[in-house]
Amino acid sequence: MSHLSPLYLLERFDVGIVQLDATRRVTAMNDLARKILPVDETQPFDVSVISFHPERSQPKVEFMLDQAAVCPVSNPPPMTMIINIPERVLLIKLTRLSNAQTKTTGYTLVFYDITDLVSGEQPPIDATDQRRRLAKIPTVSGQQVVLVDADDVVHLQSEGHYTRVITPEGNRFCNLSIGDLEARLDPSQFMRIHRSHIVNLSAIKGLAREAGRLMVKLNGNDAVPVSRTSAPDLLSRLGMSPVVSGAAKREEPL
């Protein structure tokens, strides 16, 4: 199920629908949306859909709406994001509605709950973070959603509110932020070594000093910088002494 066509999604999943007016206020939603979204806590009706989301997600939602308003056909809006229900992953599609004069009359937001497709087992019941781990990362390729196995990921690179997912076969665009992914990936396998980079620890093949900065050498010959604050933890997790490694001027193969 790594390649999901729109037809497959329509056949496989129930659809959640949220209706917005021209000013982007929530006017209606179907029963599945009421079940999945925290409606009782947020009381989203007759208020801007932007306020329905946590502050860190608001720029992404606003960008989706802006893209839909400009040209929803030639510029399809971002399709995937995590909204303010931490235990779920929703695949979202947004489209603009217009009248006979092509004036915007509102928006329709359609979403699918793909949590079971991308998540692994539930975390232990006494775990501090109760969110389900991602076993697959949803990426966008044209009009398809491609699920990338977490084990195949070499590293993740932040691109603003979105993330580039790098594998040995290439890289793909993910609509989730690097912070969203960090919170959902297995911390025993992935580590954020820089504000813009998360690496798969099993993909590290060496370390080097370049211009006084610690760099991680990855499968595929990528080199990723390590922040000063992350370096001691990374070296410790690799079983290396920070003092010895800090003195090294050449690459240290693992």
Side-chain angles (χ1 to χ4, degrees):
M1 291 192 296
S2 60
H3 297 273
L4 302 181
S5 68
L7 179 59
Y8 174 84
L9 289 173
L10 287 173
E11 294 174 342
R12 177 71 171 78
F13 297 104
D14 290 333
V15 61
I17 300 174
V18 178
Q19 192 73 39
L20 312 177
D21 65 16
T23 63
R24 305 178 180 183
R25 292 173 177 265
V26 178
T27 59
M29 60 179 65
N30 71 346
D31 289 341
L32 182 64
R34 289 176 181 272
K35 177 182 177 181
I36 296 295
L37 303 176
V39 175
D40 293 337
E41 293 85 352
T42 57
Q43 293 296 314
F45 295 101
D46 296 323
V47 298
S48 171
V49 69
I50 301 297
S51 64
F52 187 47
H53 298 268
E55 185 175 355
R56 64 186 175 85
S57 299
Q58 289 179 5
K60 186 186 298 186
V61 178
E62 191 165 13
F63 177 74
M64 289 178 67
L65 287 159
D66 289 343
Q67 289 294 298
V70 172
C71 185
V73 176
S74 62
N75 281 302
M79 296 177 64
T80 313
M81 64 177 293
I82 294 177
I83 65 174
N84 192 23
I85 43 174
E87 72 280 6
R88 311 308 298 173
V89 179
L90 305 182
L91 173 65
I92 296 175
K93 183 73 174 181
L94 181 73
T95 188
R96 178 177 66 98
L97 304 176
S98 59
N99 60 17
Q101 291 73 42
T102 70
K103 181 179 179 180
T104 299
T105 58
Y107 302 84
T108 296
L109 186 153
V110 177
F111 69 83
Y112 301 93
D113 184 352
I114 62 170
T115 307
D116 290 339
L117 283 180
V118 300
S119 299
E121 296 180 356
Q122 290 278 11
I125 193 169
D126 58 347
T128 301
D129 187 347
Q130 291 294 313
R131 287 173 287 191
R132 295 178 68 177
R133 299 297 180 195
L134 290 180
K136 297 177 181 289
I137 298 176
T139 65
V140 178
S141 178
Q143 292 300 312
Q144 284 192 325
V145 174
V146 179
L147 301 182
V148 178
D149 288 338
D151 290 342
D152 294 338
V153 174
V154 175
H155 90 277
L156 306 164
Q157 181 173 346
S158 175
E159 294 189 358
H161 300 296
Y162 310 101
T163 306
R164 189 65 58 180
V165 180
I166 295 93
T167 70
E169 288 71 37
N171 63 83
R172 295 185 179 277
F173 180 75
C174 178
N175 294 119
L176 305 179
S177 73
I178 197 167
D180 289 331
L181 290 171
E182 180 186 17
R184 288 177 174 267
L185 289 170
D186 185 350
S188 68
Q189 181 180 4
F190 292 90
M191 179 180 174
R192 190 167 184 173
I193 61 171
H194 185 277
R195 66 180 181 180
S196 298
H197 299 279
I198 292 175
V199 297
N200 186 336
L201 295 173
S202 65
I204 297 176
K205 69 175 186 179
L207 301 174
R209 287 278 175 179
E210 297 182 7
R213 187 171 200 176
L214 182 64
M215 304 288 291
V216 164
K217 301 291 185 176
L218 299 168
N219 294 339
N221 297 317
D222 286 340
V224 178
V226 182
S227 69
R228 295 182 185 276
T229 55
S230 299
D233 188 25
L234 173 65
L235 295 172
S236 176
R237 295 184 67 175
L238 295 176
M240 302 176 67
S241 167
V243 175
V244 173
S245 300
K249 299 299 182 183
R250 57 187 175 84
E251 183 171 339
E252 297 288 348
L254 299 178

